[in-house]
Amino acid sequence: MSDSSPVAPAARVPDPARVGQHGLEMVTALARSVSVETAATGKRVVAVVALA
């Protein structure tokens, strides 16, 4: 995923009562690794997941 914002995503404290803002929690729970790379026009978030 990439976007034009230079601000890196930050994991929030899990809160089942919170509506929305759970994307990074779900990605980090499912991925082997997650990294954020700066780009000329923002950032790129890379998640590595197992296919098998």
Short mmCIF file of all heavy atoms in Angstrom, two decimals:
data_model
loop_
_atom_site.label_atom_id
_atom_site.label_comp_id
_atom_site.label_asym_id
_atom_site.label_seq_id
_atom_site.Cartn_x
_atom_site.Cartn_y
_atom_site.Cartn_z
N MET A 1 0.86 -1.13 0.00
CA MET A 1 0.00 0.00 0.00
C MET A 1 0.92 1.21 0.00
O MET A 1 1.94 1.23 0.65
CB MET A 1 -0.87 -0.05 1.26
CG MET A 1 -1.99 0.95 1.34
SD MET A 1 -1.66 2.65 1.83
CE MET A 1 -0.86 2.57 3.38
N SER A 2 0.55 2.24 -0.73
CA SER A 2 1.30 3.49 -0.68
C SER A 2 0.32 4.65 -0.69
O SER A 2 -0.83 4.52 -1.11
CB SER A 2 2.26 3.59 -1.87
OG SER A 2 1.53 3.59 -3.07
N ASP A 3 0.78 5.76 -0.13
CA ASP A 3 -0.02 6.97 -0.17
C ASP A 3 0.89 8.18 -0.13
O ASP A 3 2.11 8.05 -0.01
CB ASP A 3 -1.09 7.01 0.92
CG ASP A 3 -0.53 7.04 2.33
OD1 ASP A 3 0.57 7.57 2.54
OD2 ASP A 3 -1.21 6.54 3.23
N SER A 4 0.32 9.34 -0.21
CA SER A 4 1.12 10.56 -0.31
C SER A 4 1.49 11.16 1.04
O SER A 4 2.25 12.12 1.10
CB SER A 4 0.38 11.61 -1.15
OG SER A 4 -0.87 11.92 -0.54
N SER A 5 0.99 10.62 2.12
CA SER A 5 1.33 11.13 3.45
C SER A 5 2.69 10.60 3.89
O SER A 5 2.94 9.41 3.82
CB SER A 5 0.28 10.71 4.47
OG SER A 5 0.70 11.05 5.79
N PRO A 6 3.56 11.46 4.40
CA PRO A 6 4.86 10.98 4.87
C PRO A 6 4.80 10.38 6.28
O PRO A 6 5.77 9.82 6.76
CB PRO A 6 5.72 12.25 4.86
CG PRO A 6 4.73 13.35 5.11
CD PRO A 6 3.47 12.92 4.42
N VAL A 7 3.66 10.46 6.94
CA VAL A 7 3.52 9.99 8.32
C VAL A 7 3.35 8.47 8.34
O VAL A 7 2.44 7.94 7.69
CB VAL A 7 2.31 10.66 9.01
CG1 VAL A 7 2.16 10.16 10.44
CG2 VAL A 7 2.46 12.17 8.98
N ALA A 8 4.21 7.80 9.09
CA ALA A 8 4.14 6.34 9.19
C ALA A 8 2.94 5.94 10.04
O ALA A 8 2.59 6.64 10.99
CB ALA A 8 5.42 5.80 9.82
N PRO A 9 2.30 4.81 9.71
CA PRO A 9 1.18 4.35 10.54
C PRO A 9 1.70 3.91 11.90
O PRO A 9 2.83 3.45 12.04
CB PRO A 9 0.62 3.17 9.75
CG PRO A 9 1.75 2.69 8.93
CD PRO A 9 2.58 3.90 8.61
N ALA A 10 0.86 4.07 12.91
CA ALA A 10 1.23 3.67 14.26
C ALA A 10 0.18 2.72 14.79
O ALA A 10 -1.02 2.96 14.65
CB ALA A 10 1.33 4.90 15.16
N ALA A 11 0.65 1.63 15.40
CA ALA A 11 -0.27 0.67 15.99
C ALA A 11 -0.91 1.31 17.21
O ALA A 11 -0.27 2.04 17.97
CB ALA A 11 0.49 -0.59 16.39
N ARG A 12 -2.19 1.06 17.37
CA ARG A 12 -2.93 1.56 18.51
C ARG A 12 -3.17 0.42 19.49
O ARG A 12 -3.10 -0.75 19.12
CB ARG A 12 -4.25 2.16 18.05
CG ARG A 12 -4.01 3.33 17.08
CD ARG A 12 -5.29 3.89 16.60
NE ARG A 12 -5.87 4.71 17.68
CZ ARG A 12 -6.97 5.40 17.54
NH1 ARG A 12 -7.64 5.39 16.42
NH2 ARG A 12 -7.43 6.11 18.55
N VAL A 13 -3.48 0.77 20.72
CA VAL A 13 -3.80 -0.23 21.72
C VAL A 13 -5.10 -0.92 21.30
O VAL A 13 -6.05 -0.24 20.91
CB VAL A 13 -3.98 0.43 23.11
CG1 VAL A 13 -4.41 -0.58 24.14
CG2 VAL A 13 -2.69 1.11 23.53
N PRO A 14 -5.14 -2.25 21.30
CA PRO A 14 -6.37 -2.93 20.91
C PRO A 14 -7.55 -2.46 21.77
O PRO A 14 -7.45 -2.35 22.99
CB PRO A 14 -6.07 -4.42 21.18
CG PRO A 14 -4.59 -4.50 21.08
CD PRO A 14 -4.08 -3.20 21.63
N ASP A 15 -8.65 -2.16 21.12
CA ASP A 15 -9.86 -1.68 21.80
C ASP A 15 -11.07 -2.17 21.02
O ASP A 15 -11.43 -1.58 20.01
CB ASP A 15 -9.84 -0.16 21.91
CG ASP A 15 -11.07 0.40 22.59
OD1 ASP A 15 -11.95 -0.38 23.00
OD2 ASP A 15 -11.16 1.63 22.72
N PRO A 16 -11.71 -3.24 21.48
CA PRO A 16 -12.85 -3.78 20.75
C PRO A 16 -14.02 -2.79 20.65
O PRO A 16 -14.88 -2.93 19.79
CB PRO A 16 -13.26 -5.03 21.53
CG PRO A 16 -12.33 -5.16 22.67
CD PRO A 16 -11.37 -4.02 22.65
N ALA A 17 -14.06 -1.79 21.49
CA ALA A 17 -15.15 -0.80 21.45
C ALA A 17 -14.90 0.29 20.42
O ALA A 17 -15.82 1.03 20.07
CB ALA A 17 -15.34 -0.18 22.84
N ARG A 18 -13.65 0.39 19.93
CA ARG A 18 -13.32 1.44 18.96
C ARG A 18 -13.89 1.07 17.60
O ARG A 18 -13.76 -0.05 17.14
CB ARG A 18 -11.79 1.61 18.87
CG ARG A 18 -11.37 2.74 17.95
CD ARG A 18 -9.86 2.97 17.94
NE ARG A 18 -9.17 1.86 17.32
CZ ARG A 18 -8.23 1.12 17.93
NH1 ARG A 18 -7.87 1.39 19.15
NH2 ARG A 18 -7.65 0.13 17.29
N VAL A 19 -14.53 2.02 16.96
CA VAL A 19 -15.07 1.80 15.62
C VAL A 19 -14.02 2.28 14.63
O VAL A 19 -13.64 3.45 14.63
CB VAL A 19 -16.39 2.57 15.42
CG1 VAL A 19 -16.89 2.40 14.00
CG2 VAL A 19 -17.43 2.10 16.43
N GLY A 20 -13.53 1.37 13.79
CA GLY A 20 -12.53 1.72 12.79
C GLY A 20 -11.12 1.79 13.37
O GLY A 20 -10.89 1.53 14.55
N GLN A 21 -10.18 2.11 12.49
CA GLN A 21 -8.76 2.24 12.87
C GLN A 21 -8.14 0.93 13.35
O GLN A 21 -7.26 0.92 14.19
CB GLN A 21 -8.58 3.33 13.93
CG GLN A 21 -9.08 4.70 13.54
CD GLN A 21 -8.22 5.31 12.43
OE1 GLN A 21 -7.00 5.27 12.49
NE2 GLN A 21 -8.88 5.86 11.43
N HIS A 22 -8.62 -0.22 12.83
CA HIS A 22 -8.07 -1.52 13.21
C HIS A 22 -7.23 -2.14 12.10
O HIS A 22 -6.74 -3.26 12.26
CB HIS A 22 -9.21 -2.49 13.57
CG HIS A 22 -9.96 -2.09 14.79
ND1 HIS A 22 -9.51 -2.32 16.06
CD2 HIS A 22 -11.15 -1.44 14.92
CE1 HIS A 22 -10.39 -1.86 16.94
NE2 HIS A 22 -11.39 -1.30 16.27
N GLY A 23 -7.05 -1.45 10.99
CA GLY A 23 -6.36 -2.02 9.85
C GLY A 23 -4.96 -2.50 10.15
O GLY A 23 -4.58 -3.63 9.82
N LEU A 24 -4.15 -1.65 10.77
CA LEU A 24 -2.78 -2.04 11.06
C LEU A 24 -2.73 -3.19 12.07
O LEU A 24 -1.89 -4.07 11.96
CB LEU A 24 -1.97 -0.84 11.56
CG LEU A 24 -0.48 -1.07 11.74
CD1 LEU A 24 0.17 -1.52 10.43
CD2 LEU A 24 0.20 0.18 12.26
N GLU A 25 -3.64 -3.21 13.02
CA GLU A 25 -3.72 -4.32 13.98
C GLU A 25 -3.94 -5.64 13.24
O GLU A 25 -3.28 -6.64 13.52
CB GLU A 25 -4.88 -4.13 14.95
CG GLU A 25 -4.71 -3.03 15.95
CD GLU A 25 -5.96 -2.88 16.80
OE1 GLU A 25 -6.44 -3.88 17.36
OE2 GLU A 25 -6.48 -1.75 16.88
N MET A 26 -4.86 -5.63 12.28
CA MET A 26 -5.16 -6.86 11.54
C MET A 26 -3.99 -7.26 10.65
O MET A 26 -3.65 -8.45 10.57
CB MET A 26 -6.42 -6.67 10.71
CG MET A 26 -7.66 -6.57 11.56
SD MET A 26 -9.19 -6.53 10.61
CE MET A 26 -9.15 -4.89 9.94
N VAL A 27 -3.38 -6.30 10.00
CA VAL A 27 -2.25 -6.62 9.11
C VAL A 27 -1.10 -7.20 9.91
O VAL A 27 -0.52 -8.22 9.52
CB VAL A 27 -1.80 -5.37 8.32
CG1 VAL A 27 -0.49 -5.62 7.60
CG2 VAL A 27 -2.88 -4.95 7.34
N THR A 28 -0.74 -6.60 11.04
CA THR A 28 0.38 -7.12 11.82
C THR A 28 0.06 -8.48 12.43
O THR A 28 0.96 -9.29 12.63
CB THR A 28 0.81 -6.13 12.92
OG1 THR A 28 -0.30 -5.82 13.76
CG2 THR A 28 1.37 -4.86 12.33
N ALA A 29 -1.22 -8.75 12.71
CA ALA A 29 -1.59 -10.06 13.25
C ALA A 29 -1.46 -11.16 12.19
O ALA A 29 -1.14 -12.30 12.52
CB ALA A 29 -3.02 -10.01 13.79
N LEU A 30 -1.70 -10.82 10.93
CA LEU A 30 -1.70 -11.82 9.87
C LEU A 30 -0.38 -11.93 9.11
O LEU A 30 -0.11 -12.95 8.49
CB LEU A 30 -2.82 -11.50 8.87
CG LEU A 30 -4.24 -11.55 9.44
CD1 LEU A 30 -5.22 -11.00 8.43
CD2 LEU A 30 -4.59 -12.97 9.84
N ALA A 31 0.42 -10.88 9.13
CA ALA A 31 1.64 -10.86 8.31
C ALA A 31 2.84 -11.41 9.06
O ALA A 31 2.92 -11.33 10.29
CB ALA A 31 1.93 -9.42 7.86
N ARG A 32 3.77 -11.95 8.29
CA ARG A 32 5.05 -12.38 8.87
C ARG A 32 5.88 -11.16 9.26
O ARG A 32 6.61 -11.18 10.25
CB ARG A 32 5.84 -13.22 7.87
CG ARG A 32 5.29 -14.58 7.68
CD ARG A 32 6.20 -15.38 6.79
NE ARG A 32 5.68 -16.73 6.64
CZ ARG A 32 6.23 -17.64 5.90
NH1 ARG A 32 7.31 -17.36 5.21
NH2 ARG A 32 5.69 -18.84 5.82
N SER A 33 5.79 -10.12 8.44
CA SER A 33 6.50 -8.88 8.74
C SER A 33 5.78 -7.71 8.07
O SER A 33 5.09 -7.89 7.07
CB SER A 33 7.96 -8.94 8.27
OG SER A 33 8.01 -9.01 6.86
N VAL A 34 5.96 -6.53 8.67
CA VAL A 34 5.40 -5.30 8.12
C VAL A 34 6.49 -4.25 8.20
O VAL A 34 7.15 -4.10 9.22
CB VAL A 34 4.16 -4.82 8.93
CG1 VAL A 34 3.64 -3.50 8.38
CG2 VAL A 34 3.07 -5.87 8.93
N SER A 35 6.71 -3.55 7.10
CA SER A 35 7.71 -2.49 7.10
C SER A 35 7.14 -1.25 6.41
O SER A 35 6.23 -1.34 5.60
CB SER A 35 8.99 -2.94 6.39
OG SER A 35 8.74 -3.25 5.04
N VAL A 36 7.71 -0.11 6.77
CA VAL A 36 7.31 1.16 6.17
C VAL A 36 8.54 1.75 5.50
O VAL A 36 9.61 1.86 6.12
CB VAL A 36 6.77 2.14 7.23
CG1 VAL A 36 6.37 3.46 6.59
CG2 VAL A 36 5.60 1.54 7.97
N GLU A 37 8.40 2.08 4.24
CA GLU A 37 9.51 2.66 3.46
C GLU A 37 9.11 4.06 3.02
O GLU A 37 7.98 4.29 2.59
CB GLU A 37 9.77 1.80 2.22
CG GLU A 37 10.04 0.34 2.52
CD GLU A 37 10.00 -0.54 1.28
OE1 GLU A 37 9.65 -0.05 0.19
OE2 GLU A 37 10.32 -1.73 1.41
N THR A 38 10.05 4.99 3.15
CA THR A 38 9.76 6.33 2.66
C THR A 38 9.91 6.34 1.14
O THR A 38 10.72 5.62 0.58
CB THR A 38 10.70 7.38 3.28
OG1 THR A 38 12.05 7.00 3.01
CG2 THR A 38 10.50 7.49 4.78
N ALA A 39 9.07 7.13 0.51
CA ALA A 39 9.10 7.26 -0.94
C ALA A 39 9.18 8.75 -1.27
O ALA A 39 8.97 9.60 -0.41
CB ALA A 39 7.86 6.63 -1.55
N ALA A 40 9.47 9.05 -2.51
CA ALA A 40 9.60 10.45 -2.93
C ALA A 40 8.30 11.23 -2.71
O ALA A 40 8.33 12.42 -2.44
CB ALA A 40 10.01 10.52 -4.40
N THR A 41 7.18 10.54 -2.79
CA THR A 41 5.90 11.23 -2.64
C THR A 41 5.08 10.69 -1.47
O THR A 41 3.86 10.67 -1.52
CB THR A 41 5.06 11.08 -3.94
OG1 THR A 41 4.89 9.70 -4.20
CG2 THR A 41 5.73 11.77 -5.10
N GLY A 42 5.71 10.22 -0.42
CA GLY A 42 4.98 9.73 0.75
C GLY A 42 5.64 8.52 1.35
O GLY A 42 6.80 8.53 1.70
N LYS A 43 4.86 7.43 1.47
CA LYS A 43 5.38 6.21 2.08
C LYS A 43 4.77 4.99 1.40
O LYS A 43 3.78 5.08 0.69
CB LYS A 43 5.05 6.17 3.56
CG LYS A 43 3.56 6.05 3.82
CD LYS A 43 3.26 6.02 5.30
CE LYS A 43 1.78 6.12 5.58
NZ LYS A 43 1.12 7.32 5.13
N ARG A 44 5.41 3.85 1.65
CA ARG A 44 4.93 2.57 1.15
C ARG A 44 4.94 1.62 2.35
O ARG A 44 5.93 1.51 3.07
CB ARG A 44 5.85 2.05 0.07
CG ARG A 44 5.44 0.75 -0.54
CD ARG A 44 6.37 0.35 -1.70
NE ARG A 44 6.73 1.53 -2.48
CZ ARG A 44 7.98 1.88 -2.81
NH1 ARG A 44 8.99 1.13 -2.44
NH2 ARG A 44 8.21 2.97 -3.50
N VAL A 45 3.84 0.92 2.59
CA VAL A 45 3.76 -0.07 3.64
C VAL A 45 3.77 -1.44 2.97
O VAL A 45 2.96 -1.71 2.09
CB VAL A 45 2.48 0.11 4.49
CG1 VAL A 45 2.41 -0.95 5.58
CG2 VAL A 45 2.43 1.51 5.08
N VAL A 46 4.71 -2.28 3.38
CA VAL A 46 4.88 -3.60 2.78
C VAL A 46 4.60 -4.65 3.85
O VAL A 46 5.20 -4.63 4.92
CB VAL A 46 6.32 -3.78 2.23
CG1 VAL A 46 6.51 -5.17 1.66
CG2 VAL A 46 6.63 -2.71 1.19
N ALA A 47 3.68 -5.56 3.56
CA ALA A 47 3.36 -6.67 4.46
C ALA A 47 3.70 -7.97 3.74
O ALA A 47 3.30 -8.17 2.60
CB ALA A 47 1.89 -6.64 4.85
N VAL A 48 4.42 -8.83 4.43
CA VAL A 48 4.79 -10.13 3.87
C VAL A 48 3.87 -11.18 4.51
O VAL A 48 3.83 -11.29 5.75
CB VAL A 48 6.27 -10.47 4.15
CG1 VAL A 48 6.62 -11.86 3.66
CG2 VAL A 48 7.16 -9.42 3.52
N VAL A 49 3.15 -11.92 3.68
CA VAL A 49 2.22 -12.94 4.19
C VAL A 49 2.57 -14.29 3.57
O VAL A 49 3.05 -14.37 2.44
CB VAL A 49 0.75 -12.59 3.89
CG1 VAL A 49 0.32 -11.35 4.63
CG2 VAL A 49 0.52 -12.41 2.41
N ALA A 50 2.30 -15.35 4.31
CA ALA A 50 2.52 -16.71 3.80
C ALA A 50 1.36 -17.09 2.89
O ALA A 50 0.20 -16.81 3.19
CB ALA A 50 2.61 -17.69 4.96
N LEU A 51 1.65 -17.70 1.76
CA LEU A 51 0.63 -18.14 0.83
C LEU A 51 0.25 -19.60 1.03
O LEU A 51 -0.76 -20.06 0.50
CB LEU A 51 1.09 -17.90 -0.60
CG LEU A 51 1.31 -16.45 -0.98
CD1 LEU A 51 1.81 -16.35 -2.42
CD2 LEU A 51 0.04 -15.64 -0.81
N ALA A 52 1.04 -20.34 1.75
CA ALA A 52 0.73 -21.75 1.96
C ALA A 52 0.81 -22.09 3.42
O ALA A 52 1.43 -21.47 4.21
CB ALA A 52 1.69 -22.62 1.19
#
